[in-house]
Amino acid sequence: MRLGMLTACLPGLALEEIADWAASRGYEALEVACWPGTGGRDFEAAHLPVASFGEREADATRELFARHGLELSALAYYENNLHPDPARREEIRAHLRHAIDAAAALDVPYVGTFVGRDWTRPVAENLAEAERILPPLVEYAGERGVKLLIENCVMEGWHPDGYPGNLAYSPELWEWMFSLGLYLNWDPSHLTWIGIDPVETIAPYIDRIPHAQAKDVELRPRDRQRYGHFGPATGREANPWDMGWWRYRVPGLGQVDWPRVVDRLYEAGFTGTLSVEHEDPVWGGDETRVKQGLDIAHRTLRPLIVG
């Protein structure tokens, strides 16, 4: 097992700057964000120009990672592959293919994305649509030696009412997506707030978990007494990502039991990268605070991982 980090939390830095800092702080791998950098969610980051990626870029990237002794564990382009706007959906699909091509050029085995959801249609119709459009992407990746990873994030902010916007949030849905040839970028934080014990999901699905993300979550049960499990019903326009009774934290500052998680990953035979995904609002807002949060995450997880 290697300890890595997702670069998306530092969108203002170049990949070379992130690699230099991460290696100096003891991180062993980077999960590299490769959004197109055209706006959208405020945590988009474009750390590899995958749409224009060629041999020169591949050589430079390999040299950068070799110089810092880092592994490039996966490319990250987490977007809505079931977007209701056909034009936007095609943009996403085209960029995902670019990410797959770049991963293949770099011998990176994984590209991460979302199943997503068309929030104007019921779940059953979304699943049927996914069964039509996702297998060709799985095949495209497989022909290039790449596996598509799906993170189990709920993406409640994509749905106007705060309901799941990514149909990959539960083991029930994992089993469905595995049948399409997809793999799981397992993240315990999302499971925790929806009421699933993350530790109990490791062993049954370990053969489809080649990569994992380390994010924590702080639950506030007293606030849940006002909103219920589904969060605020009014005023969501101001911040569609605020569920009112929980927030993401860096590992060690929330409810996730990291000694149990890492131990169970080892017991199940996990040999991939555990990649810190920093979305902690307390340790965010500027580069200094984000890096301090990443240091907290490293201090929490590093003692648990066999050197």
Side-chain angles (χ1 to χ4, degrees):
M1 195 185 309
R2 292 165 300 280
L3 181 56
M5 53 167 279
L6 174 60
T7 66
C9 59
L10 292 166
L13 297 187
L15 183 57
E16 183 165 358
E17 295 174 289
I18 296 173
D20 181 66
W21 182 86
S24 74
R25 309 306 286 188
Y27 281 98
E28 301 166 297
L30 296 181
E31 181 184 3
V32 176
C34 60
W35 275 265
T38 56
R41 299 199 307 278
D42 60 3
F43 52 82
E44 282 190 2
H47 288 136
L48 272 186
V50 297
S52 58
F53 205 74
E55 186 174 341
R56 181 175 64 180
E57 289 81 7
D59 287 344
T61 303
R62 281 191 289 265
E63 190 278 329
L64 171 65
F65 276 74
R67 176 163 25 103
H68 291 289
L70 292 169
E71 177 177 327
L72 205 172
S73 65
L75 298 187
Y77 177 55
Y78 289 95
E79 275 294 355
N80 187 354
N81 283 285
L82 297 178
H83 198 285
D85 181 345
R88 178 61 183 139
R89 186 188 294 186
E90 183 50 43
E91 289 175 354
I92 291 167
R93 185 157 51 233
H95 193 75
L96 181 56
R97 291 194 191 101
H98 290 317
I100 292 167
D101 291 340
L106 292 166
D107 295 318
V108 173
Y110 310 115
V111 172
T113 189
F114 288 134
V115 170
R117 178 179 183 171
D118 178 347
W119 55 83
T120 70
R121 301 168 68 185
V123 170
E125 291 182 14
N126 272 272
L127 298 183
E129 181 70 355
E131 290 166 7
R132 183 182 70 83
I133 69 169
L134 292 179
L137 290 168
V138 171
E139 182 178 0
Y140 185 88
E143 289 171 349
R144 290 154 180 79
V146 176
K147 292 181 172 67
L148 287 182
L149 301 174
I150 303 294
E151 185 190 347
N152 56 289
C153 184
V154 182
M155 294 306 290
E156 64 287 343
W158 276 349
H159 194 288
D161 295 318
Y163 302 144
N166 174 40
L167 297 177
Y169 56 85
S170 67
E172 175 192 20
L173 290 164
W174 302 350
E175 292 166 5
W176 162 77
M177 73 182 194
F178 294 157
S179 73
L180 306 182
L182 296 160
Y183 288 78
L184 180 63
N185 196 5
W186 181 87
D187 184 328
S189 64
H190 312 298
L191 294 164
T192 300
W193 80 261
I194 66 173
I196 295 174
D197 182 351
V199 173
E200 295 303 315
T201 70
I202 295 172
Y205 302 105
I206 193 63
D207 62 334
R208 306 297 288 193
I209 305 175
H211 197 278
Q213 289 187 330
K215 185 162 75 260
D216 217 325
V217 62
E218 178 187 354
L219 308 181
R220 302 193 299 269
R222 289 187 64 182
D223 291 333
R224 190 171 57 208
Q225 296 302 310
R226 172 173 172 78
Y227 299 115
H229 187 83
F230 301 105
T234 61
R236 293 190 54 80
E237 301 83 3
N239 182 0
W241 300 100
D242 183 4
M243 294 294 281
W245 64 274
W246 61 266
R247 60 183 178 175
Y248 293 127
R249 303 304 308 271
V250 292
L253 299 181
Q255 266 70 54
V256 175
D257 188 336
W258 291 104
R260 284 184 70 221
V261 164
V262 174
D263 182 61
R264 193 61 57 88
L265 285 169
Y266 272 120
E267 182 181 11
F270 179 78
T271 58
T273 295
L274 182 60
S275 179
V276 173
E277 183 183 18
H278 183 348
E279 296 181 357
D280 188 325
V282 177
W283 296 100
D286 59 56
E287 179 185 331
T288 297
R289 297 283 287 179
V290 169
K291 287 179 174 178
Q292 289 170 335
L294 290 167
D295 280 337
I296 293 169
H298 186 276
R299 288 197 299 269
T300 298
L301 297 172
R302 181 69 262 175
L304 305 176
I305 296 175
V306 177

